[in-house]
Amino acid sequence: MSLLPSLPLAFFLPLLTALLVFLVGMRRAPWLPLLGALATVLVVADIAISVALDGPQRHHLGGWEPPLGVELYADGLAALMVLLTALVGLAVTLYAGPYLRGKGHSGEHFWPLWLIQWATLNGIFLSADLFNLYVMLELLTLTATPLAAMAADRSALGAALRYLLLALLGSLAYLLGVALLYGSTGSLHLHEVGELLQADAAAAVAAALITAGLFAKAAIFPLHIWLMPAHSNAPAPASAALSALVAKAAVYLLLRLWLWVFPVLLTAPMGWLIGGLGATAVLYGALQALRQNRLKPLIAYSTIAQLGYLLLLLPLVVVPAAATYAWHGVAYQALVHGLAKAAAFLAAGNVIYCLGNDRLEGLRGLTPYLSISLLALGLAFAALMGMPPTGGFLAKWLILTGALGSGQWVWAIVLILGSLLAGAYAFRVLSVAHASPPYGWIEIYPPRPVPLVMQLTPLMLALLAVVMGISAVPVLNLLDQGAPEVLP
Amino acid sequence: MIWLIEQLPLLTILASLLTAVIIFMLRDRRRRARTFWNLFGAVTKLVLVVFMLYAVISGVELEVVWLVLPDLSFRLAADPLALLFVMLSASLWLVTTIYAIGYLEGSGQRARFFGFFSLCVAATTGIALANNLFTFFIFYEALTLATYPLVVHRGHPAALQAGRIYLTYTLGGGALLLVGAVMLHTAVGDQPFTPGGVEAVALWAADSPLMATLVIGLMLAGVGVKAALVPLHSWLPIAMVAPAPVSALLHAVAVVKAGAFGVIRIVQDIYGAEIAFELGITPVLAVLAAITIIYGSLRALAQTDIKRRLAFSTVSQVSYITLGVAAGGPLALIGGVAHLVHQGLMKITLFFCAGNYSETLGISRIDQLNGVGWRMPWTSVAFTVGALGMVGLPPLAGFISKWYLGLGALQQGSYWVLAVLVLSTLLNAAYFLPVIRRIWLLPAAPIGLKRHDSGKLESHAWLLYPALITAFAALFAGAFAASQWSPLSWAERIVEQEYPLDER
């Protein structure tokens, strides 16, 4: 057992930092966010270590037992997700300072919002209470919307408004579903509801409402329309957090609810339905990414595609021969995607910082000025494509093993097509970066030097995504602490 | 100390990987530092490979294993076949590095170029030392990623187009190989390469022959792309747009060899020649290889550009290796495996020389070569040695490979293979001998070369010596093929493992 109450601290530390930043002000204490971030990283590391050593961890807020109190619960999956959040969060915190200063954005809005968002993310990953999860989901929307609107131009505001509308509708649907579940089981505790739930009409409607609500929040096809404008118009550090963490938190919740609360409803046709939407998202997102002429929209569409992979868990997990592989592969994919996507957005931020825009054509001849960022972008793309030696490759291998080993060819084909399309859009970007500059280029656009810390943070994230390709065994061991019961 | 020796396969890969990292960090201007690290990395690697060779000969088993997934391991091992390929790539890398320094210093983006150049060799070393299909695949795909920036290095539209085609083919091939590898894994689990074939695979193939055929078909199609088997070869001539040292590397050491090496591993060390034959795979493969040999030669005959003629010649010659594997029997396999080294030595020489002609005199077309032998005698001698070797003139290296391939065909009673060899030799002669005649016998054209003509007689030493060294190597590999350390003897040693003695 750990000495610290790490589970609540993972939520309250970033929240407290946000409050302090708000009260004290960034001008007087510019080191505050970093301090809070480092403390959170330590606490989260403590959670991961305790889960690895002693199995799933519980904490009852205020000492109140469920059903009255709220339970915080960390199994392997939750521990890994807060760990991912901490790594990406630390990078975003390091990166945002110089980026915002350089772009003339006000940190006053950014820092409290971002830190509350971090707290909320940890809240979602660590809560085992359906109503508490609803509160966290709402809070997440309320922090994500202003971050998406921070550029404050017409397109950013429109995108943020669209996002707000869909996300609120999503929360509403989720809340209705939770109410139905409470009505039929009399409990809000995630595991208890899962044990009590019968496969009846009320449960089916609740599952449908919750699934639809979370689809909207996770931008799963066909409710994906808000994601691209919202994620690509936000300032780069916010985009990184939105794509790598916020949208993924909704998918995380979706999968957790299906595996822990609704396993009685998870039949093969239901799995195929959700998996089919995921597969559509994979192909649609990748094809759209291929058509973009700007870097950030391209990376945002890639997120739509990559989140689709995660839904393939549901059709595969119902087949015993594929279940464990799918569970391992999808979780690994979620982690690697988080690191790689954050790296890609931060690297794109460097392009914007240097050039003033993110048109692909602008990458011509930029290599000498941005070699570190372009290397990070290249490595991140390799991870997103599932190319060895990155962690994305191991995730792809695992899911493929599950799909092919159980004779489910369709998902294997989706996976292969998705990664080939990812290769196509990735190399569209990288080939422009390798192209020789147009004549007289330097005179037209004097590039602006990018601070070193902004160059190194995406590289570090991308390298982590690569290092995850060396061995997945430690991560998978941690993941198997408290794995869902549907696994054989 | 023992622990460190066991890690030698990993250290050999790291030698090039770390070189790449260091070079990426150096600024473009730092020419001397880069040259130092390039050469330091190449020499260190060669020394490590020699250590490895020594350790294996003295009976130490070198194996590096760790778990990557709960049921899958990353495996490196130095078996004789691995050592053959790693020795070839390590020594040719050193020579090519020297050549590339001479060729590219002065042009832009050198840090990027040499960084990826080293990465490319790290991936090739990994392919050589991989001891299961999973590890092989990791490096096979890593090689694709590392070569792309080299192919598009010049950055003009033709280079970018070539890069796109290269990727389309290689990524597609990689996907096929991946599907095959995963299916094999679900059927038989994690199996290290075994000379003569994996037992579990044999049992599985007996049990479900259709599935086994499908899987080996997918995998061979996957490696066939890099091995430039017809109809998967089109990327190769287009990739010629890359700078000369890259072409040399692509054609002689890294990419095509990775494909041919993959064919050997899949047929011999996973399925085993016998099973592959029973499944009907090797006969098909032999026919494809034969078609590729003839087709490549015919296309080479029609080219007017030196590098393009060499490229189609590669398409043709690399398939000798596949033919050696597919024709069946130990003697043909000896010829195929030896050709892995022989073709490398001869082809790299030819590309070095083509690069020298274009760098020193601005010559890129065959009809400009008239009388150039008296102008650049050493380069031309090297070119002649390489070309005659390709034709198969004894005692050059190419003759030895063809001799064994022919003996193998006779042993198996496949006389059509013999006919293919004869026809291909005639075609080789038809497209190489006129070039040699132009170089030495036709009068030089007095005009038309002014712009590039620097007035020097020969190429710069950094460009000339690599070509001479590899030309001599090709000469020695053929002339002293019977000696204990020749590529041929080493190939015999490999094949002894593949075929138990009583069957020979």
Side-chain angles (χ1 to χ4, degrees), chain A residues 38-85:
Chain A
L38 287 173
T40 313
V41 170
L42 285 180
V43 162
V44 164
D46 180 58
I47 294 179
I49 292 169
S50 347
V51 173
L53 296 180
D54 305 325
Q57 305 282 309
R58 276 167 228 282
H59 179 93
H60 298 131
L61 276 185
W64 294 83
E65 300 275 322
L68 280 178
V70 165
E71 179 180 293
L72 296 180
Y73 173 81
D75 55 7
L77 179 63
L80 284 167
M81 293 307 287
V82 289
L83 204 57
L84 169 72
T85 310

Side-chain angles (χ1 to χ4, degrees), chain A residues 325 388 427 431 434 436 470-472, chain B residues 66-68 71 112 148 155 167:
Chain A
Y325 286 113
F427 278 103
S431 80
H434 279 103
S436 31
I470 293 178
S471 176
Chain B
W66 72 76
L67 270 188
V68 175
D71 59 350
R112 187 180 78 190
Y148 173 79
L167 275 181

Side-chain angles (χ1 to χ4, degrees), chain B residues 307-323:
Chain B
K307 277 177 85 178
R308 279 184 68 84
R309 180 168 289 190
L310 294 180
F312 277 107
S313 152
T314 303
V315 171
S316 163
Q317 291 271 341
V318 167
S319 279
Y320 280 154
I321 304 169
T322 311
L323 187 66

Side-chain angles (χ1 to χ4, degrees), chain A residues 328-348:
Chain A
H328 283 168
V330 165
Y332 213 63
Q333 166 73 18
L335 297 172
V336 176
H337 170 254
L339 295 171
K341 190 46 65 73
F345 264 122
L346 294 184

